[in-house]
Amino acid sequence: MRLSSLLRPRTVVRAHCDLPCGVYDPAQARIEAESLLAIAKKYQDSDDPEFRTRALVVKEQRAELVKHHLWVLWTDYFKAPHFERYPELHGLFNEATKLAGAGGAKGSADPAVAERLLGRIDEIAKIFWETKQG
């Protein structure tokens, strides 16, 4: 048996920095959502089928990143006292992740869908920054 196979981890896990590192920012989701909007606009403006196919692939990747960043905020940053103070927060996250998902920007090349997503992220960001103040 080789030494490298003995030292190889038996289980590989992945997680957001759960020290907790304390580094959370809705800007990460917003940047990816801005990419969704830009891609949707470029998709609409193009007649090139190869470009449009590539745009859809990249758009789907970015939509997954939006969902990931939102989920990290929703599940790791925000705690019970935040949800008590801001009862609309669960609904905002639910709507935003759905707007990023298959029924939203991931499944649509309509810039209006990406704009709605950006609006929800902005509402979440406003609450986020209020919680950082207090």
Side-chain angles (χ1 to χ4, degrees):
M1 188 170 268
R2 299 183 77 175
L3 181 60
S4 62
S5 62
L6 288 172
L7 298 175
R8 184 179 326 125
R10 302 215 187 283
T11 304
V12 176
V13 296
R14 290 173 176 67
H16 180 77
C17 182
D18 249 351
L19 290 175
C21 64
V23 178
Y24 300 99
D25 195 326
Q28 294 172 301
R30 189 170 212 302
I31 289 167
E32 299 302 343
E34 287 174 6
S35 293
L36 290 173
L37 177 59
I39 291 167
K41 288 177 179 178
K42 289 180 180 185
Y43 177 90
Q44 297 299 330
D45 292 341
S46 178
D47 294 342
D48 180 351
E50 289 177 15
F51 174 84
R52 289 176 72 131
T53 298
R54 184 168 174 265
L56 292 176
V57 169
V58 173
K59 181 180 62 66
E60 289 183 9
Q61 294 168 344
R62 297 294 177 228
E64 283 299 316
L65 288 170
V66 171
K67 291 191 312 185
H68 168 77
H69 292 304
L70 289 172
W71 285 331
V72 166
L73 285 172
W74 196 2
T75 60
D76 293 355
Y77 173 76
F78 286 105
K79 305 291 185 227
H82 299 134
F83 293 110
E84 290 168 11
R85 183 172 175 201
Y86 301 95
E88 72 277 20
L89 202 48
H90 278 303
L92 284 171
F93 273 108
N94 185 54
E95 189 175 349
T97 55
K98 290 193 180 308
L99 280 167
K106 183 176 180 182
S108 170
D110 182 355
V113 175
E115 288 172 353
R116 284 197 304 275
L117 172 59
L118 282 164
R120 292 307 167 270
I121 292 170
D122 287 344
E123 290 179 63
I124 291 167
K126 181 180 182 294
I127 293 171
F128 173 85
W129 290 111
E130 287 176 11
T131 66
K132 295 292 273 189
Q133 304 278 325

